[in-house]
Amino acid sequence: MHVVGINRSPHQTRQSVESLALPRYLRHGIELAPGALVLDVGGNIGMFSRWAASACQGDVHILAFEPVLELAEALQFNLELAALEQPGVRSTVFRCGLADAEGATQFTFYPRCTMWSSAHEDMTDPDVLSDALELVAQNIAAGQACGDQESPVPSPGLDDLEADVRTVEMRRLSSVLRDCRTDGVLGGNQQIALLKVDVEGAELQVLLGIDEADWARLEQVVVEVHDRDGKLEAVAELLRFRGFAVKVERGPPPFYLVQRYADPVAPDGTGLQFSSSEMAHVFARRPHARV
């Protein structure tokens, strides 16, 4: 899930990045350590990438992917800021989306509500967007019920979903990694500590763009899945087929609540979740992985 809105000062962006409860990614055996190579697919303005830099104590190499120009520029800015604060942070921003085939595609960008921008047709479906707005309202209401008198972000409404449809470049992940090895950006056999995928409905296509050799280099994967037409089971089964131990959490994490309150979701996935939601999170790791 992406952040709502991009009209923030750099100071506001930094505060938002550092206040979000992104350590939720470190669940079900997922680990990060200094020296990691992290792939941030669906980078948005860089919230996850900045958290990954901190989780790796400033010693990290991040490849971040974001096809929307405005968001990619904010992502680049935030990673440059992270490198100034922690000189061991290395990063490359790719201004493209990822899919199972190379080429151009139509991408729906919501400038006032960037979290649902996507190349997937689901994110233009009025029913999907209506459900998403209801979910955000539930999150904010949950925070207020716990005593949060000032919502962290305003609740978006239908007026915020004015779409800007663009043509963007799409690449296969393995093609990008091959170019990085050719250019010397990556070592030939470098392991990938974590692949994070948050692409609002196009997650299966991202995974299908990975070649056999690159699957062998992947140690851990965390994917946000929009479970329509059996997509969750397809993602989980693909990861199991590739040798990962897989855990699934139904429902989105209560992002608006955990900004200011203790995370109420237990390690086994029980707790405050929205079981009726189509959203899920898949945590996959090699049984031997220690990164």
Side-chain angles (χ1 to χ4, degrees):
M1 180 178 290
H2 293 166
V3 68
V4 177
I6 59 174
N7 296 321
R8 302 163 179 245
S9 71
H11 179 66
Q12 289 173 315
T13 299
R14 179 179 174 186
Q15 285 184 323
S16 298
V17 168
E18 295 174 346
S19 66
L20 284 171
L22 287 171
R24 290 186 50 84
Y25 283 93
L26 302 182
R27 303 170 64 76
H28 303 296
I30 302 297
E31 301 173 342
L32 278 178
L37 171 62
V38 176
L39 308 188
D40 182 1
V41 181
N44 202 262
I45 66 170
M47 289 164 37
F48 172 85
S49 286
R50 284 200 50 131
W51 167 77
S54 296
C56 294
Q57 301 173 38
D59 180 8
V60 67
H61 189 179
I62 298 171
L63 305 184
F65 299 83
E66 176 52 58
V68 177
L69 176 62
E70 294 91 330
L71 300 180
E73 289 177 344
L75 172 61
Q76 182 75 52
F77 173 86
N78 274 311
L79 283 170
E80 290 174 357
L81 183 61
L84 287 174
E85 297 167 346
Q86 299 174 296
V89 175
R90 294 172 295 152
S91 65
T92 305
V93 174
F94 297 89
R95 296 184 179 183
C96 65
L98 293 181
D100 55 350
E102 306 267 323
T105 193
Q106 296 295 100
F107 192 98
T108 303
F109 173 45
Y110 297 102
R112 296 176 62 188
C113 196
T114 68
M115 61 183 174
W116 296 311
S117 301
S118 176
H120 198 275
E121 62 272 14
D122 278 358
M123 299 316 292
T124 60
D125 185 327
D127 291 337
V128 173
L129 294 173
S130 178
D131 289 346
L133 289 170
E134 176 60 24
L135 176 61
V136 172
Q138 290 181 44
N139 270 290
I140 293 176
Q144 292 173 338
C146 290
D148 186 358
Q149 299 302 314
E150 180 182 355
S151 297
V153 294
S155 179
L158 289 174
D159 291 342
D160 294 307
L161 298 181
E162 181 178 346
D164 179 358
V165 179
R166 305 177 178 187
T167 300
V168 302
E169 180 186 11
M170 303 298 286
R171 300 201 61 193
R172 297 178 70 252
L173 178 55
S174 281
S175 296
V176 177
L177 294 176
R178 182 177 60 249
D179 290 348
C180 287
R181 289 189 287 269
T182 300
D183 297 341
V185 175
L186 296 178
N189 296 314
Q190 188 170 358
Q191 295 295 103
I192 300 168
L194 178 62
L195 166 64
K196 164 260 183 183
V197 181
D198 183 357
V199 289
E200 304 304 320
E203 45 275 359
L204 184 58
Q205 288 90 333
V206 172
L207 298 180
L208 291 175
I210 303 174
D211 292 339
E212 186 81 28
D214 290 320
W215 276 113
R217 296 185 178 97
L218 274 168
E219 294 286 357
Q220 303 176 119
V221 182
V222 178
V223 188
E224 179 188 281
V225 179
H226 291 247
D227 186 21
R228 303 190 103 198
D229 302 320
K231 191 182 302 177
L232 176 60
E233 185 60 24
V235 168
E237 283 303 310
L238 174 60
L239 291 167
R240 291 188 186 103
F241 174 78
R242 291 298 181 178
F244 291 88
V246 174
K247 294 288 186 180
V248 175
E249 287 190 4
R250 278 281 188 178
F255 282 116
Y256 299 94
L257 182 60
V258 298
Q259 287 191 50
R260 298 186 181 183
Y261 302 99
D263 185 348
V265 181
D268 64 357
T270 61
L272 179 57
Q273 298 192 68
F274 300 92
S275 58
S276 63
S277 172
E278 293 180 341
M279 191 182 296
H281 287 77
V282 178
F283 299 80
R285 60 184 293 274
R286 303 287 184 189
H288 64 274
R290 287 291 182 271
V291 297

